[in-house]
């Protein structure tokens, strides 16, 4: 028996194929006979479709189909994870720039592009709303048809939902407050920018349909497609090859339904690979404008938080309303506060549907609330670390009264970040330091099945419906199996991404997979161990209770120790065979909870930044970036570090450079990689350090917690605090571009 | 009738004679005509680096080169980095050992840029690596690990 693989960092499973070019991402798949599709959209956001003439396109040899709403069932089939509001193709009206009005299918991609350009759409541009203020203005055009929204009481406006959560008596606390600070903050629209653009293939498959998608949630897609085309689940097979980055943007269906309808109509496989620009027109993060009032007593205790946040979501709901609800829910932060009032509104607009994006609505509100806390510390004359430690929830504190108590030693995390960041060390002129805390509710529901087959030679095959999109799920599951069943890592094969073979998994999101699917894999291993134990007892001629299977070996009460391979060899006999284990992890919804379920864990992070600001140019240089996350137990410390640093750097994007800019017709002005900048290797902090806290106090295997989003949650808040510390001027809008910082300095100088 | 032009390329040591459409890029030809899908397509404007290959010793964005412009060129793609018997190069091994790979989609391009960089400068500093790799985006942001991997490969003499 080799040393435990848990807590080690074996190389990524699937890594070799990723460095040889052999890894087949969706666009690399060759489906024989596949035709190529291109979407047709208009050069504006909202328009009334008067007529669509595909005859010129169809006249080109090799063009097979120009499909519009008129070719689809009436009423138009609609889909979506929260509300079935998105039509397969735009019907009567487009709602955002990129909303497809037709799909063109041809022999080659090039021909499909040419044909799409020949589709003549007669349309009349309509007034539209692209900002929170515009959407909320009296008389603003309605984004969604009130008839389709039902009797929500809000259907005659552009507010989709109001989410209210809170506790205590804000007015009573305010009456006692020594200080109340108030601020308005904004967070821009940004886009996921996975380097792999979204892609889809669909093909008729006997009496069913087979779909390939870059999707994170293949089982969810299977249900959507089955519902749309009226097939049983067993006749819809979804292949989900490992995505080339997801970051939340690939959670739910984008254009798969249109491709499925086209393939079924033609009786042939159809493939649609989006361009990067089309991917930008498919997914984004919700912008947010918030107003925060925070009350303190003279000692710096937070007495109340009164938070209002408007999230700008898109034209269709996608998962955005859940983002708003779940992202705003822990808005008051990881602090013990007697009174909290949170109102978060999902505001519809004629823009790209906003979706899940790493951090899931939390970074937007964290920026406002943590920055406002700093304002309070400044006015109270308190140290920003001290005020956080004073108010921080300790383990077991019911900081959200009706929810999971604080589930980690968060003080340890904060103190580690402060010491690593040299919080009390003097700073050279022009430099500033900032600290911020981030918290996010983990998954509130979940359902994951795993199957582990221990084959006759002691090797193992794992079936797990997680999507490995870079977080390393295959590796971690292999480590668990290696630990429990004694197989070497390279004797474990993990099968994912095929709904015809792999059992159901609810989804890959909310940093859940190590915890929920990891536990399912662990349970499946335990099931195998129990069956192995029975086999071993029979061979050894002892009672089942006299055998223990543990960490890959079988121990008999009389002192004998057998390897699992020995038990298999003699126990399975001449016919061979295998032992199969099943694991099921179910976290049901709790209707009494505001989020329909308490989180399985909290992600908790503390980030300390040291920044240097060039007062002449407004350029911000990050001298030091310390991220500390409470991960419970790092099953693979290198993977943990990569996820933590990756989240931190991604956070630097929306903090310093990223924002989608829309023009007066709702078209994204910086569409594409030239004008939409994400962090490159040149944009790293001079020193970036990721540290972890491990107390083995998480609900996942061996005490692990989910951790892939924590380091992104409070990056903007910590950088903003450091910039403010450096220049003495608060900036309340992101991103902190040189121009914005420079302007803040000029305005300050003019005062 | 679609017009095509004959070209000749040496790709990963193998001579290839092809008829290509004049508007097709080297990326199109590598992926669609030669089936070398290790080279990835993302931005198509030369900004992301996912399609980086080595043409006559220089790292280029294959989305910006017309196939006909590459006529006569010697091209190395990610598929050509391992030895003929499938053994990984030191650079590839370093990427694995240092954890420079997460989702992996940008990695072929990163490897090709790193390969070209080490050809020009066998012992780069961290700053020179950043300079040399600045055209390759990684949204998983394994930049620290990519730098570590290039340094490790450099120290091992590739």
């Amino acid at each position: 028996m080799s040393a435990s693989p848990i807590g080690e960092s074996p190389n990524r499973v699937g890594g070799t194929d990723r460095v040889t070019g052999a890894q087949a991402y969706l666009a690399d798949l060759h489906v024989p006979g596949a035709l190529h599709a291109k979407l047709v959209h208009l050069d504006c956001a909202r328009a009334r479709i008067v007529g669509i003439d595909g005859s010129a396109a169809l006249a080109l040899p090799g063009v097979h189909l120009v499909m519009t709403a008129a070719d689809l069932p009436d009423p138009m089939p609609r889909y979506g994870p929260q509300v079935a509001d998105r039509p397969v193709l735009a019907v009567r009206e487009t709602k955002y720039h990129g909303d497809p009005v037709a799909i063109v299918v041809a022999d080659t991609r090039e021909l499909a592009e040419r044909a799409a350009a020949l589709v003549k759409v007669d349309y009349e541009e309509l007034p539209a709303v692209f900002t929170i203020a515009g959407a909320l203005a009296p008389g603003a055009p309605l984004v969604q048809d009130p008839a389709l929204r039902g009797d929500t009481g809000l259907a005659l406006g552009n507010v989709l939902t109001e989410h209210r959560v809170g506790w205590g008596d804000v007015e009573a606390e305010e009456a006692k407050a020594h200080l109340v600070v108030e601020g308005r903050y904004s967070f821009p629209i940004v886009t996921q920018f996975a380097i792999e653009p979204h892609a889809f293939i669909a093909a008729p498959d006997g009496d069913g349909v087979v779909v390939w998608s870059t999707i994170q949630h293949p089982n969810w897609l299977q249900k959507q497609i089955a519902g749309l085309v009226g097939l049983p689940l067993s006749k819809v097979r979804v292949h989900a090859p490992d995505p080339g980055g997801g970051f939340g943007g690939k959670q739910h269906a984008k254009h798969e339904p249109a491709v499925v309808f086209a393939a079924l109509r033609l009786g042939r496989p159809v493939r649609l690979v989006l361009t990067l620009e089309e991917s930008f027109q498919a997914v984004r993060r919700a912008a947010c404008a918030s107003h925060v009032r925070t009350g303190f007593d003279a000692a710096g205790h937070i007495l109340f938080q009164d938070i209002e946040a408007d999230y700008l979501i898109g034209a269709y709901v996608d998962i955005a309303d859940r983002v708003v609800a779940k992202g705003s829910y822990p808005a008051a932060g990881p602090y013990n506060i007697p009174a909290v009032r949170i109102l978060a509104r999902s505001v519809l607009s004629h823009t790209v549907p906003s979706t899940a994006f790493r951090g899931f609505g939390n970074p937007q509100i964290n920026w406002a609330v943590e920055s406002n806390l700093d304002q309070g510390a400044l006015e109270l004359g308190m140290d920003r670390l001290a005020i956080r430690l004073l108010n921080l929830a300790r383990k077991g504190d019911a900081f959200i009264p009706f929810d999971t108590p604080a589930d980690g030693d968060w003080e340890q995390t904060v103190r580690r970040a402060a010491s690593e960041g040299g919080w009390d060390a003097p700073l050279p002129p022009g430099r500033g330091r900032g600290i911020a805390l981030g918290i996010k509710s983990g998954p509130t529901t979940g359902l994951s099945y795993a199957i582990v087959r221990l084959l006759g030679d002691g090797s193992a095959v794992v079936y797990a419906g997680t999507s490995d999109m870079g977080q390393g799920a295959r590796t971690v599951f292999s480590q668990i199996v290696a630990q429990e069943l004694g197989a070497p890592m390279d004797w474990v094969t993990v099968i994912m991404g095929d709904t015809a073979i792999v059992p159901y998994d609810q989804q890959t999101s909310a940093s859940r997979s190590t915890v929920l699917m990891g536990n399912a894999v662990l349970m499946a291993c335990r099931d195998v161990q129990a069956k192995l134990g029975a086999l071993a007892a029979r061979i050894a001629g002892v009672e089942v209770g006299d055998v223990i299977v543990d960490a890959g070996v079988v121990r008999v009460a009389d002192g004998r120790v057998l390897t699992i391979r020995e038990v298999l060899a003699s126990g399975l006999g001449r016919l061979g065979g295998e032992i199969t284990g099943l694991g099921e992890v179910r976290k049901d919804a709790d209707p009494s909870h505001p989020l329909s379920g308490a989180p399985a864990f909290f992600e908790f992070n503390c980030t300390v930044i040291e920044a240097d600001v060039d007062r002449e140019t407004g350029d911000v240089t990050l001298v030091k970036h310390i991220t500390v996350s409470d991960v419970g137990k790092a099953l693979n410390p290198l993977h943990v570090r990569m996820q933590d640093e990756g989240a931190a750097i991604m956070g630097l994007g929306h903090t310093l450079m990223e924002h989608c800019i829309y023009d007066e017709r709702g078209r994204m002005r910086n569409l594409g990689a030239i004008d939409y900048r994400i962090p490159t290797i040149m944009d790293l902090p001079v020193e970036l350090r990721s540290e972890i806290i491990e107390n083995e106090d998480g609900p996942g295997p061996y005490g692990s917690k989910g951790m892939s989003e924590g380091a992104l949650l409070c990056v903007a808040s910590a950088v903003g605090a450091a910039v403010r510390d450096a220049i003495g001027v608060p900036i309340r809008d992101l991103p902190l571009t040189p121009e914005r910082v420079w302007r803040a300095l000029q305005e300050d100088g003019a005062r | 009738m679609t017009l095509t032009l004959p070209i000749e390329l040496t790709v990963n040591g193998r001579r290839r004679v092809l008829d290509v459409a004049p508007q097709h890029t080297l990326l199109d030809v590598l992926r669609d005509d030669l089936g070398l899908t290790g080279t990835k397509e993302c931005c198509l404007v030369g900004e992301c680096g996912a399609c980086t290959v080595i043409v006559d010793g220089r790292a280029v964005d294959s989305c910006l080169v017309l196939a006909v412009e590459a006529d006569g060129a010697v091209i190395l793609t990610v598929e050509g980095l391992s030895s003929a018997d499938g053994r990984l190069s030191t650079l590839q091994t370093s990427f694995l050992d240092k954890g420079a790979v997460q989702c992996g989609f940008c990695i072929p391009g990163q490897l090709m840029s790193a390969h070209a960089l080490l050809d020009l400068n066998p012992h780069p500093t961290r700053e020179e690596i950043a300079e040399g790799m600045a055209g390759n985006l990684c949204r998983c942001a394994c930049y620290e690990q990519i730098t570590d991997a290039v340094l490790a490969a450099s120290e091992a003499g590739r």
Side-chain angles (χ1 to χ4, degrees):
Chain A
M1 185 57 211
S2 55
S4 167
I6 299 300
E8 297 296 314
S9 298
N11 280 353
R12 177 170 301 270
V13 172
T16 301
D17 281 353
R18 284 166 169 78
V19 296
T20 60
Q23 179 70 26
Y25 300 89
L26 199 137
D28 304 332
L29 299 177
H30 175 69
V31 176
L35 300 169
H36 298 257
K38 184 76 182 173
L39 299 171
V40 178
H41 65 77
L42 309 180
D43 193 32
C44 65
R46 179 170 178 240
R48 188 172 69 86
I49 303 166
V50 179
I52 301 176
D53 178 4
S55 56
L58 279 168
L60 289 180
V63 175
H64 296 262
L65 177 67
V66 177
M67 190 173 81
T68 70
D71 303 302
L72 290 162
D74 184 18
M76 170 62 71
R78 290 173 186 265
Y79 60 99
Q82 289 198 267
V83 187
D85 62 349
R86 184 195 285 239
V88 175
L89 290 169
V91 54
R92 292 183 292 281
E93 186 179 306
T94 61
K95 303 281 193 190
Y96 66 93
H97 186 225
D99 200 0
V101 298
I103 183 169
V104 176
V105 183
D107 283 339
T108 67
R109 183 168 163 183
E110 205 174 347
L111 188 57
E113 281 167 19
R114 259 176 68 206
L118 292 175
V119 174
K120 265 189 65 186
V121 185
D122 187 9
Y123 66 93
E124 175 198 347
E125 191 169 343
L126 297 172
V129 291
F130 314 117
T131 61
I132 292 165
L136 297 179
L142 294 183
V143 178
Q144 294 209 341
D145 180 352
L148 292 176
R149 283 187 55 188
D151 184 21
T152 66
L154 294 167
L156 294 176
N158 285 320
V159 174
L160 179 82
T161 319
E162 295 182 341
H163 300 278
R164 294 172 197 274
V165 67
W167 57 88
D169 185 337
V170 168
E171 277 69 31
E173 295 298 329
E174 184 163 6
K176 291 189 274 178
H178 168 75
L179 171 73
V180 177
V181 293
E182 182 170 355
R184 291 183 185 278
Y185 301 86
S186 76
F187 191 107
I189 296 177
V190 292
T191 189
Q192 285 82 348
F193 200 155
I195 306 297
E196 179 201 38
H198 296 237
F200 328 100
I201 305 173
D205 183 29
D207 53 356
V209 63
V210 55
V211 183
W212 291 259
S213 170
T214 48
I215 199 153
Q216 291 172 226
H217 304 343
N219 288 100
W220 177 85
L221 179 62
Q222 181 191 34
K223 278 189 279 190
Q224 290 281 307
I225 298 297
L228 282 169
V229 300
L231 285 169
L233 290 174
S234 60
K235 298 295 178 187
V236 177
R237 181 177 192 175
V238 175
H239 292 280
D242 291 2
F247 314 113
K250 291 173 178 167
Q251 284 191 16
H252 298 102
K254 299 299 167 242
H255 303 301
E256 291 91 334
V259 177
V260 166
F261 276 101
L264 291 179
R265 190 180 174 91
L266 290 167
R268 290 185 62 176
V270 173
R271 153 191 179 105
L272 173 65
V273 179
L274 298 189
T275 62
L276 184 68
E277 288 79 0
E278 288 169 324
S279 292
F280 283 13
Q281 291 173 288
V283 290
R284 68 169 179 93
R285 192 198 288 279
C288 185
S290 37
H291 178 217
V292 184
R293 295 169 61 246
T294 310
F296 301 88
D297 70 13
H301 294 103
I302 304 171
L303 297 181
F304 73 90
Q305 285 283 16
D306 187 7
I307 299 162
E308 287 184 19
D310 286 326
Y311 287 77
L312 186 74
I313 70 168
Y316 304 116
V317 177
D318 199 287
I319 197 68
D321 194 47
R322 181 67 178 168
V323 170
V324 174
K326 194 159 178 251
S328 62
Y329 174 79
Y335 306 109
N336 290 315
I337 306 174
V340 168
R341 181 165 59 205
I342 300 165
L343 166 61
R345 301 195 290 182
S346 301
V347 181
L348 294 158
S349 64
H350 292 103
T351 59
V352 168
S354 74
T355 60
F357 188 164
R358 200 177 201 171
F360 209 71
N362 288 275
Q364 292 97 314
I365 198 82
N366 183 287
W367 161 241
V369 176
E370 282 289 290
S371 299
N372 213 53
L373 179 55
D374 273 10
Q375 182 66 33
L378 185 83
E379 293 188 25
L380 288 163
M382 280 185 78
D383 176 72
R384 292 165 296 162
L385 167 63
I387 201 168
R388 286 175 169 80
L389 287 171
L390 177 69
N391 289 286
L392 183 65
R394 272 33 180 203
K395 192 166 189 179
D397 285 353
F399 69 110
I400 299 174
F402 35 79
D403 212 317
T404 306
D407 62 350
D409 181 358
W410 295 341
E411 181 179 351
Q412 193 185 359
T413 302
V414 176
R415 290 198 184 276
R416 170 82 75 85
S419 72
E420 295 287 339
W423 184 254
D424 293 320
L427 282 169
R431 291 262 177 97
R433 203 174 269 138
I435 186 168
L437 313 188
I439 187 168
K440 176 180 185 291
S441 296
T444 53
T445 63
L447 181 55
S448 297
Y449 297 89
I451 292 172
V452 172
R453 292 167 57 201
L454 180 65
L455 306 184
D457 61 355
S459 63
V461 184
V462 183
Y463 298 77
T466 297
S467 289
D468 192 340
M469 49 194 181
Q471 82 280 43
R474 288 176 192 277
T475 314
V476 166
F477 300 159
S478 296
Q479 287 178 262
I480 294 170
V481 173
Q483 165 70 20
E484 297 299 321
L485 300 180
M489 281 283 291
D490 56 1
W491 277 40
V492 183
T493 294
V494 183
I495 311 283
M496 295 174 165
D498 182 350
T499 59
I501 295 174
V502 180
Y504 184 88
D505 179 50
Q506 184 191 13
Q507 56 200 50
T508 300
S509 68
S511 303
R512 75 180 57 216
S513 298
T514 293
V515 172
L516 299 183
M517 184 59 84
N519 275 338
V521 170
L522 185 61
M523 286 170 67
C525 289
R526 298 271 153 86
D527 191 17
V528 170
Q529 288 176 343
K531 291 171 182 170
L532 263 174
L535 205 59
R538 207 179 72 212
I539 298 163
V542 298
E543 295 296 313
V544 172
D546 291 333
V547 173
I548 293 170
V549 185
D550 174 42
V553 294
V554 182
R555 298 176 201 283
V556 186
D558 60 15
R560 276 181 289 172
V561 178
L562 304 168
T563 67
I564 285 178
R565 290 184 69 179
E566 286 165 344
V567 174
L568 288 170
S570 53
L572 292 176
R574 290 182 60 192
L575 288 180
E578 63 184 50
I579 297 178
T580 302
L582 177 65
E584 176 185 339
V585 169
R586 177 182 288 272
K587 187 177 185 315
D588 277 318
D590 170 5
S592 71
H593 189 280
L595 292 177
S596 308
F601 52 83
F602 289 106
E603 283 196 65
F604 184 79
N605 174 273
C606 180
T607 295
V608 172
I609 299 283
E610 187 176 320
D612 189 284
V613 180
D614 184 330
R615 297 185 73 94
E616 298 299 315
T617 64
D619 201 30
V620 176
T621 301
L622 299 186
V623 179
K624 200 178 271 188
H625 184 152
I626 309 293
T627 153
V628 184
S629 295
D630 180 343
V631 306
K633 166 77 180 169
L635 304 191
N636 184 317
L638 181 57
H639 277 33
V640 164
R641 185 177 145 217
M642 291 156 76
Q643 283 290 298
D644 201 65
E645 287 187 9
I649 295 168
M650 189 170 245
L652 292 178
H654 66 236
T655 300
L656 295 172
M657 61 190 82
E658 293 180 39
H659 56 147
C660 299
I661 303 164
Y662 288 89
D663 71 8
E664 68 287 347
R665 300 174 72 188
R667 299 173 300 187
M668 189 173 156
R669 295 294 291 264
N670 52 344
L671 189 61
I674 292 177
D675 297 314
Y676 186 91
R677 311 300 303 196
I678 62 173
T680 73
I681 197 167
M682 302 289 275
D683 298 308
L684 299 190
V686 177
E687 181 190 356
L688 170 62
R689 195 141 25 100
S690 158
E691 301 279 339
I692 52 174
I693 297 296
E694 293 180 283
N695 291 317
E696 300 187 7
D697 54 356
Y702 320 108
S704 55
K705 302 176 185 178
M707 57 71 54
S708 290
E709 298 165 271
L712 181 138
L713 301 173
C714 64
V715 174
S717 312
V719 173
V723 169
R724 178 180 190 168
D725 193 36
I727 67 173
V729 187
I731 303 176
R732 297 194 168 95
D733 307 297
L734 294 174
L736 303 173
T737 56
E739 179 183 344
R740 180 164 275 146
V741 174
W742 183 83
R743 283 187 190 282
L745 281 162
Q746 301 309 303
E747 284 163 20
D748 185 55
R751 266 201 290 275
Chain B
M1 271 312 289
T2 317
L3 170 76
T4 60
L5 295 167
I7 62 166
E8 190 184 313
L9 307 172
T10 304
V11 182
N12 301 331
R14 190 167 153 204
R15 194 167 151 264
R16 313 295 292 248
V17 179
L18 299 145
D19 286 315
V20 300
Q23 73 277 19
H24 282 181
T25 63
L26 179 57
L27 175 63
D28 294 330
V29 167
L30 289 172
R31 286 183 59 85
D32 300 338
D33 298 328
L34 298 178
L36 295 171
T37 54
T39 304
K40 299 304 174 205
E41 179 172 318
C42 170
C43 77
L44 295 178
V45 289
E47 285 292 324
C48 76
C51 67
T52 307
V53 299
I54 296 176
V55 178
D56 292 333
R58 288 177 50 223
V60 302
D61 293 314
S62 61
C63 72
L64 294 185
V65 180
L66 290 173
V68 291
E69 293 179 288
D71 187 18
V74 175
I75 292 161
L76 183 69
T77 73
V78 68
E79 289 90 347
L81 286 180
S82 325
S83 63
D85 62 1
R87 230 165 352 100
L88 299 184
S89 70
T90 307
L91 186 62
Q92 289 170 308
T93 310
S94 302
F95 265 61
L96 289 180
D97 292 345
K98 296 294 176 185
V101 181
Q102 290 195 63
C103 85
F105 196 82
C106 72
I107 292 301
Q110 303 276 2
L111 283 164
M112 301 323 288
S113 287
H115 187 93
L117 169 69
L118 291 176
D119 272 349
L120 286 171
N121 180 359
H123 298 288
T125 61
R126 289 187 87 85
E127 290 69 31
E128 287 166 341
I129 292 169
E131 196 80 39
M133 307 288 290
N136 292 82
L137 299 178
C138 173
R139 193 55 153 166
C140 302
C142 315
Y143 293 127
E144 295 278 2
Q145 293 77 22
I146 288 170
T147 308
D148 292 345
V150 178
L151 272 182
S154 157
E155 281 159 19
R158 275 209 281 173

